[in-house]
Amino acid sequence: MSADEKLLTLNLKIWRQKDAKDKGQMVDYTLEGVSTDSSFLEMLDQLNEKLVGQGEEPVTFDHDCREGICGMCSLMINGQAHGPEKETTTCQLHMRSFNDGDTIVIEPWRARAFPVLKDLTVDRSAFDEIIMAGGYVNVNTGNAQDANEILIPKESADLAMDAAACIGCAACVASCKNASAMLFVGAKISQLALLPQGQVEAEQRAANMVAKMDELGFGNCTNEAECEASCPKGINISNIARMNKEFLKSAVKSKS
Amino acid sequence: MLNQFFKVITSSIMKKFGMGVTGLLLCGFLVSHLLGNLLIFVGPQAFNTYAHTLVSNPLIYLAEAILLLIFLKHIGLAIKLTIENKMARPVKYYMTQATGRGSTFASSSMPVTGLIILVFVVLHILQFKFGAYYEETYDGVVMRDLYRLLIEFYQNPLNVAWYIFSMACVAVHVSHGFWSAFQSIGFNHPKYTPLLKCLAKLFALVVFCGFSSLPIYCYVQGAQ
Ligand code: FES
C-alpha cells in the first residue's frame, strides 16, 4: 500500500454477452472501495468477487501474465484500446489513472475477424492463422551453430527486435477505425524480412500472409496511425510500409 | 498463374498502392492546373491563349481520357475501400475516443473531403468547360473568351465562397494524402517521412492560397 493510496467508487458500463450467439448489451455496475494501487484487471477481479458473492455470473475477460508481455489481455476502455496510458497493456494499467466517481466503459475488441465468445473475450485465432500462412522460418535441426557465424548489421538487428516486440494483443485492430490488421502483419513480416534467416521464405511470405489477412476480413489501412498510438509496445507504422514493399517485391519476383 | 495475378491485384495492399499512385498523379494535375490558371493574373490575352493552345492540341483528348481514368480509379478504389472497411467492423463500439497521438482531422475526414471534392469537380467542369461560350480575337485568331466567363461567374460571392470552401477541402485532403501515398507504396524513412509530412502541409497551403486567390481576383477585377 502506498502513502497516497485512495479508494475510488466507480460506475462501470460493461459489455455482457452470454455466448457467441447472444446479442449482448451494456450493463451498469457500481463498485466501491477500489484502491488506486490496484491494476485494472484487479479492479475487475474485485467486481467479479462481488458478483459471485451475489450469486451472479462473473465478467469473463482475457488475461494471463499480467506483466505486459504475453498479449493476452485486451479491453476497450473508454473507447481506447488498453485504456488511456501510452504503451501500456490493460494489465499494466493502474486505477490511479482514474478518478473517484468516474464512469468507465469497458468493451471487447470489435472486428469481423474477432467474434466475441463471451462478455469481453474475443476469438483472436485469426492472428494465428496469419502466422501459419508465413510468419515462420525453416531451420536445420542438429547442433546449434555458432551465434556469431551469421553477420547481422546492428541497425537491422535493432529494427527486427523492435518489430519482434509485438505481443499479438490485437490492440492495433481494435483501435483502427477500419479494423485493419496491417500493423500486426507488418511487424511479423518485418521481423523476419530484416534478418538473413528470414530470406529463404521471403519471396512467398508477404504474399501469403497478406492473402490470409484479406481472406479473414480485416479492413484496409488508411494510414491514420491510431494503431501505433495504441500499441502497448510502440510498434511503428514504418513496419506497414515495409510490408507493402515486401508484398510488391514478392508479387514481382514470384514465379507462380 | 492468372489466379495468382488476380489475387495480387485485388489484394488490400495493391488497392492502397493504387490509391497512393493515382493520388500522387492527381497532385501533379493540381500543380499543372494551378500554374496554368495563374496566367489569369497576367491578363485576359495570356490566359485565353493558354486555354486555346491547350484545347486545340489533338493530344488533349488523350490527356483528358487518362486524367478521367485516374480520377475514376481513385474514386472507385475509395468507394470499395470504404465499404470494405465498414464491413470489417459489423458491430460498432459503444464509445470511441481517439488517442490524440495518431489520427488527425485530415486523416479521419478523407472520405468526407473526398466526396466534397468530387461534387466540386463535377460542378466545376459543368460551369466552365460546358459553360457559356464567348469569343474573342487576338492577332486574327478567334478563340474562346474563358476569362470573361470567369469574371462574370465570380461576381456572385456565393460562387467565390463555394470555390474557397472546396479548395479548403482539397488542401485538407492532400495534407494527409500526399505523405500517406508514399507510405502506401512502401516508402517510410526516418529522415524523409517527417520531411514528406511537412511537405504535405506546405503543398496543402500552396494549393489553398494559390487556387483561392483566383476567384477573389476575378471578383475584384469584375467590380472595377
Ligand atoms: S495479461 Fe499478459 S500482457 Fe496483459
Side-chain angles (χ1 to χ4, degrees):
Chain A
M1 186 192 286
S2 67
D4 41 21
E5 182 197 15
K6 280 200 279 296
L7 293 180
L8 312 174
T9 298
L10 300 168
N11 302 308
L12 305 171
K13 268 186 185 305
I14 302 180
W15 182 260
R16 301 302 310 261
Q17 183 173 332
K18 275 196 194 67
D19 52 41
K21 289 196 192 74
D22 184 28
K23 240 182 114 243
Q25 57 180 348
M26 297 299 288
V27 178
D28 292 347
Y29 298 97
T30 306
L31 189 60
E32 287 160 5
V34 178
S35 164
T36 45
D37 284 352
S38 64
S39 76
F40 199 84
L41 297 185
E42 283 164 346
M43 181 276 290
L44 287 177
D45 292 338
Q46 199 177 329
L47 171 74
N48 278 346
E49 274 171 30
K50 186 178 149 187
L51 292 179
V52 171
Q54 293 168 352
E56 289 175 45
E57 181 80 12
V59 179
T60 305
F61 59 91
D62 266 329
H63 63 103
D64 191 1
C65 70
R66 297 205 178 193
E67 287 181 341
I69 52 172
C70 75
M72 201 56 207
C73 59
S74 56
L75 304 187
M76 229 32 202
I77 301 167
N78 285 339
Q80 294 184 322
H82 290 301
E85 302 297 335
K86 195 179 168 197
E87 292 186 25
T88 307
T89 53
T90 293
C91 61
Q92 291 292 295
L93 175 67
H94 282 78
M95 295 314 293
R96 63 184 81 98
S97 300
F98 298 90
N99 297 313
D100 194 32
D102 272 3
T103 297
I104 307 177
V105 176
I106 309 170
E107 295 174 83
W109 287 168
R110 295 271 187 218
R112 179 153 65 122
F114 295 151
V116 174
L117 296 175
K118 187 175 185 195
D119 296 336
L120 302 170
T121 302
V122 301
D123 180 0
R124 279 175 282 186
S125 44
F127 269 13
D128 300 333
E129 286 185 52
I130 296 175
I131 295 295
M132 286 191 287
Y136 53 79
V137 289
N138 289 302
V139 288
N140 288 327
T141 53
N143 285 344
Q145 57 182 330
D146 187 79
N148 294 322
E149 202 175 305
I150 304 171
L151 298 179
I152 302 171
K154 172 86 169 78
E155 203 194 333
S156 305
D158 285 350
L159 287 172
M161 196 62 202
D162 288 347
C166 168
I167 52 176
C169 65
C172 45
V173 176
S175 61
C176 173
K177 74 167 187 193
N178 311 316
S180 165
M182 288 197 181
L183 190 64
F184 169 76
V185 182
K188 297 301 174 194
I189 287 176
S190 287
Q191 77 182 40
L192 300 175
L194 285 158
L195 298 178
Q197 289 90 336
Q199 299 316 306
V200 183
E201 298 88 354
E203 209 175 277
Q204 279 306 310
R205 180 180 299 115
N208 291 344
M209 291 177 79
V210 168
K212 189 45 119 186
M213 166 181 85
D214 291 349
E215 179 196 314
L216 290 165
F218 289 103
N220 306 285
C221 171
T222 49
N223 303 328
E224 302 217 27
E226 275 299 307
C227 52
E228 176 185 303
S230 303
C231 176
K233 299 296 153 187
I235 308 269
N236 196 277
I237 57 164
S238 60
N239 289 298
I240 300 182
R242 190 174 297 107
M243 167 181 68
N244 297 345
K245 200 166 64 190
E246 287 294 320
F247 180 85
L248 294 172
K249 258 200 318 207
S250 86
V252 173
K253 280 194 188 164
S254 160
K255 292 171 198 79
S256 61
Chain B
M1 168 125 189
L2 253 182
N3 190 14
Q4 184 66 20
F5 178 71
F6 187 71
K7 249 197 186 143
V8 168
I9 56 163
T10 55
S11 68
S12 52
I13 293 188
M14 271 332 242
K15 277 180 270 183
K16 282 176 48 139
F17 182 82
M19 209 59 191
V21 171
T22 51
L24 283 180
L25 291 171
L26 290 171
C27 283
F29 166 72
L30 276 179
V31 173
S32 66
H33 195 48
L34 177 62
L35 287 178
N37 282 0
L38 286 177
L39 285 172
I40 291 172
F41 289 115
V42 179
Q45 184 169 357
F47 180 70
N48 285 336
T49 313
Y50 157 71
H52 180 72
T53 320
L54 261 192
V55 294
S56 46
N57 187 330
L59 282 179
I60 189 70
Y61 295 107
L62 183 66
E64 278 180 343
I66 293 173
L67 186 61
L68 182 70
L69 277 181
I70 295 173
F71 251 111
L72 291 179
K73 180 84 190 157
H74 197 72
I75 297 163
L77 280 174
I79 295 171
K80 197 164 168 32
L81 287 169
T82 310
I83 294 174
E84 282 178 3
N85 290 347
K86 289 268 169 282
M87 272 168 31
R89 177 165 295 134
V91 183
K92 301 277 164 277
Y93 284 114
Y94 176 83
M95 179 177 180
T96 49
Q97 198 186 341
T99 54
R101 304 183 290 266
S103 69
T104 58
F105 172 71
S107 73
S108 53
S109 61
M110 290 302 270
V112 181
T113 47
L115 211 63
I116 297 172
I117 296 168
L118 175 61
V119 174
F120 168 80
V121 169
V122 172
L123 289 177
H124 192 68
I125 293 173
L126 291 177
Q127 283 154 354
F128 294 105
K129 192 171 176 59
F130 301 107
Y133 196 92
Y134 303 118
E135 273 183 353
E136 178 67 276
T137 313
Y138 299 112
D139 307 326
V141 185
V142 183
M143 57 182 78
R144 186 176 179 192
D145 191 358
L146 206 55
Y147 186 87
R148 184 174 153 198
L149 175 62
L150 280 177
I151 302 282
E152 270 184 18
F153 186 78
Y154 288 118
Q155 284 323 291
N156 184 344
L158 281 180
N159 288 340
V160 179
W162 163 246
Y163 188 91
I164 294 177
F165 169 72
S166 304
M167 287 310 111
C169 291
V170 174
V172 171
H173 201 78
V174 298
S175 75
H176 174 72
F178 184 75
W179 81 263
S180 177
F182 287 91
Q183 165 85 6
S184 292
I185 59 181
F187 182 84
N188 187 309
H189 189 278
K191 199 162 75 199
Y192 301 118
T193 299
L195 203 72
L196 280 174
K197 285 191 182 179
C198 281
L199 213 64
K201 293 209 176 80
L202 193 74
F203 181 57
L205 194 72
V206 169
V207 164
F208 177 69
C209 295
F211 279 110
S212 298
S213 67
L214 303 169
I216 297 176
Y217 178 78
C218 292
Y219 178 75
V220 176
Q221 271 315 86
Q224 282 168 6

